[in-house]
C-alpha cells in the first residue's frame, strides 16, 4: 500500500485498503455549508476540524493503548441541499496519518452544495457511506454540525430508525451525534436549537449533543466532541 502522503501528492483518493484492518470507530464528519453561514463562519468550521486533528487530546483518544485497535476511519462531508465528500475515507492510526488528513482538509476547496439545510438527507448519505466503505469498525458515528433546523423532505427519526432501529443488528448500529451552533438569538430563541437537536436530530446508541455557543466556540466544541466519542 502506498504511504498516505504519496497518495495526497499524486492527487489520488485518500482511501487506504483497510478491509482487514482493526478499526475502533468509523466516523463521518458532517458540516453544514448552507446559506445561513457566511464565508467566515464556514472557514471557522473547516479550520476547527483541521485543528482538532492536530490536537493532542484528540490524538491521545484515537491512539491510546486502551483502545482495541488504536485507529479510526474518517471522512469529512459538507452539506446543504446536497452533499459533497471533501476528504474521502482515511485511516488514522498515527500522528502522521492525522496530519495528512488535516492537510487534505485544509487544502480542499469549499463545496457548492446549495442554500437549504437538509440535515436528514445528509444523515442518510452518511449512513450509506458507512454501509459501503468496506470496513467493519467496532463502532460507527456520524457527527452533525449545523446552525439551523432541518428542511429536508425526510425526517431525522426515519434515518435513525433505518441505521439504528430495532431491525438493525447491534454491531451495525450507527450513533448520530450533534454539534448545534447557537449562532443567533433569532433562531428559535437561541438555546432552543440545543433542545431541537436533542429531540429531533440525534439518535442511536449513546447519542449526545455538544453545543457551540457561537462560531468562535466551534473549535472548542469540536475537540470536546471528538475527545468524548473516540475515548
Amino acid at each position: 500500500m502506498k504511504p498516505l502522503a504519496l497518495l495526497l501528492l499524486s492527487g489520488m483518493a485518500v482511501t487506504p485498503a483497510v478491509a482487514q484492518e482493526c478499526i475502533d470507530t468509523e466516523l463521518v464528519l458532517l458540516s453544514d455549508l448552507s446559506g445561513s453561514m457566511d464565508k467566515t463562519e464556514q472557514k471557522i468550521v473547516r479550520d476547527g476540524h483541521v485543528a482538532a486533528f492536530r490536537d493532542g487530546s484528540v490524538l491521545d483518544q484515537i491512539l491510546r493503548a486502551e483502545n482495541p485497535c488504536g485507529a479510526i476511519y474518517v471522512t469529512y462531508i459538507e452539506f446543504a441541499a446536497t452533499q459533497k465528500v471533501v476528504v474521502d475515507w482515511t485511516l488514522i492510526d498515527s500522528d502522521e496519518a492525522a496530519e495528512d488528513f488535516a492537510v487534505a482538509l485544509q487544502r480542499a476547496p469549499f463545496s457548492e452544495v446549495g442554500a437549504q439545510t437538509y440535515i436528514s438527507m445528509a444523515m442518510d448519505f452518511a449512513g450509506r457511506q458507512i454501509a459501503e466503505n468496506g470496513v467493519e469498525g467496532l463502532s460507527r458515528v456520524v457527527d452533525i454540525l449545523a446552525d439551523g433546523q432541518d428542511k429536508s423532505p425526510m425526517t431525522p427519526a426515519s434515518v435513525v430508525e433505518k441505521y439504528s432501529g430495532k431491525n438493525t443488528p447491534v454491531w451495525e448500529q450507527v450513533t448520530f451525534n450533534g454539534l448545534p451552533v447557537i449562532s443567533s438569538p433569532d433562531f428559535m430563541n437561541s438555546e432552543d436549537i440545543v433542545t431541537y437537536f436533542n429531540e429531533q436530530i440525534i439518535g442511536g446508541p449513546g447519542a449526545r449533543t455538544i453545543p457551540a455557543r457561537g462560531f468562535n466556540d466551534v473549535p472548542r466544541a469540536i475537540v470536546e466532541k471528538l475527545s468524548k466519542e473516540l475515548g
Side-chain angles (χ1 to χ4, degrees):
M1 182 173 65
K2 286 186 179 181
L4 185 56
L6 292 180
L7 293 177
L8 287 170
L9 290 173
S10 66
M12 296 173 64
V14 186
T15 312
V18 296
Q20 303 304 315
E21 297 280 357
C22 179
I23 304 295
D24 291 306
T25 303
E26 300 168 60
L27 176 64
V28 180
L29 300 171
L30 283 180
S31 290
D32 184 3
L33 204 71
S34 63
S36 62
M37 295 168 56
D38 62 29
K39 298 296 184 183
T40 298
E41 293 165 345
Q42 293 172 3
K43 190 174 187 303
I44 288 172
V45 170
R46 175 79 71 84
D47 289 349
H49 282 96
V50 170
F53 282 89
R54 292 169 171 161
D55 186 275
S57 63
V58 174
L59 295 177
D60 286 347
Q61 294 303 320
I62 296 172
L63 305 174
R64 69 190 185 128
E66 292 85 351
N67 288 340
C69 307
I72 67 170
Y73 204 39
V74 58
T75 183
Y76 188 91
I77 297 168
E78 290 171 341
F79 74 94
T82 59
Q83 309 84 35
K84 173 67 176 180
V85 176
V86 179
V87 180
D88 208 344
W89 286 106
T90 304
L91 176 67
I92 296 183
D93 58 357
S94 66
D95 291 346
E96 293 77 15
E99 176 61 18
D100 287 337
F101 180 81
V103 169
L105 181 57
Q106 189 172 40
R107 292 178 176 175
F110 281 92
S111 312
E112 296 292 338
V113 289
Q116 293 291 338
T117 309
Y118 283 4
I119 297 175
S120 298
M121 292 180 68
M123 290 168 61
D124 186 56
F125 182 80
R128 294 199 305 273
Q129 298 301 301
I130 289 174
E132 298 169 3
N133 68 10
V135 309
E136 295 183 5
L138 302 180
S139 65
R140 291 142 300 281
V141 177
V142 174
D143 283 334
I144 306 122
L145 185 155
D147 71 338
Q149 59 184 318
D150 186 23
K151 302 297 197 304
S152 171
M154 304 176 69
T155 65
S158 68
V159 179
V160 172
E161 176 64 24
K162 179 178 179 180
Y163 295 102
S164 293
K166 60 184 180 181
N167 294 323
T168 305
V170 172
W171 58 88
E172 293 180 359
Q173 290 183 353
V174 177
T175 297
F176 294 90
N177 290 332
L179 199 164
V181 182
I182 304 171
S183 59
S184 169
D186 297 331
F187 178 81
M188 300 171 63
N189 297 321
S190 182
E191 291 285 348
D192 285 351
I193 188 174
V194 180
T195 301
Y196 174 75
F197 262 67
N198 284 334
E199 295 181 352
Q200 303 292 330
I201 301 295
I202 69 170
R208 70 182 77 198
T209 294
I210 295 179
R213 302 188 180 281
F215 278 92
N216 289 336
D217 189 41
V218 164
R220 177 210 59 81
I222 292 171
V223 168
E224 180 182 348
K225 172 180 59 62
L226 290 174
S227 295
K228 287 183 176 180
E229 64 197 5
L230 298 177

